Amino acid sequence: MIDELYKEVILDHYKSPRNKRGIEAATCSSHGNNPLCGDEVTVYANVEDGQVTDAAFEGQGCSISQASASMMTDAVGGRSLDEVHSLTKEFRAMMAGESEPSEDELGDLAALRGVVRYPARIKCAVLAWDTLEQALEGGEARGAAAH
Ligand code: ZN
């Protein structure tokens, strides 16, 4: 029953992805792929004064990879970089089976907890997060270089 509910949430994000668009002149972006499954995702973020003011993605692949990207962009938009880093840590801990998700913190992302039982699909779920991390690292470095 609970599994069915989670499946619904994942399929909803897959069929009607949030923030699936490019951001023109995004302060940072990165492309990631998961060759094991054929998932691809490009993550865009605008970072201003240590805050992610906008986040979006484009991509294709399995429902888990695309739903995770949709949920992630929804979750990180409007958050400070510190909050984004701690959310990333929490999500990774959940996907590693190290912690029970707090739905208050993770919201829809908690629906991906069931993926832990399918080790081959964990990469699908974390792809967007790895890509976001790369984008933010590159973006910060680029920002620093500009000063
Ligand atoms: Zn996949």
Side-chain angles (χ1 to χ4, degrees), residues 34 37-39 61-65 120-121 123-125:
N34 171 21
C37 181
D39 308 318
C62 70
S63 57
I64 292 169
S65 67
R121 312 307 298 279
K123 266 191 190 296
C124 303

Side-chain angles (χ1 to χ4, degrees), residues 2 5-6 9 79 87 90 94 100-113:
I2 284 173
L5 191 72
Y6 285 143
V9 175
R79 297 221 195 195
L87 191 66
E90 198 169 334
M94 176 178 86
E100 278 295 300
S102 137
E103 294 206 19
D104 285 351
E105 270 287 303
L106 291 171
D108 282 358
L109 288 162
L112 291 166
R113 67 194 292 186

Side-chain angles (χ1 to χ4, degrees), residues 76-123:
V76 302
R79 297 221 195 195
S80 72
L81 287 175
D82 283 350
E83 287 171 331
V84 170
H85 288 312
S86 76
L87 191 66
T88 304
K89 215 190 271 178
E90 198 169 334
F91 182 75
R92 283 186 200 281
M94 176 178 86
M95 295 317 296
E98 288 163 5
S99 78
E100 278 295 300
S102 137
E103 294 206 19
D104 285 351
E105 270 287 303
L106 291 171
D108 282 358
L109 288 162
L112 291 166
R113 67 194 292 186
V115 176
V116 172
R117 290 199 303 274
Y118 309 93
R121 312 307 298 279
I122 291 174
K123 266 191 190 296

Side-chain angles (χ1 to χ4, degrees), residues 23 51 54 57 108 119 123 125 143:
I23 297 178
Q51 196 179 1
D54 196 11
F57 80 104
D108 282 358
K123 266 191 190 296

Side-chain angles (χ1 to χ4, degrees), residues 41-57:
V41 62
T42 302
V43 173
Y44 305 89
N46 271 331
V47 180
E48 282 168 44
D49 297 330
Q51 196 179 1
V52 178
T53 55
D54 196 11
F57 80 104

Side-chain angles (χ1 to χ4, degrees), residues 123-142:
K123 266 191 190 296
C124 303
V126 298
L127 173 66
W129 297 81
D130 286 346
T131 309
L132 173 69
E133 212 162 55
Q134 276 169 32
L136 293 178
E137 277 169 16
E140 279 166 26
R142 228 180 302 159

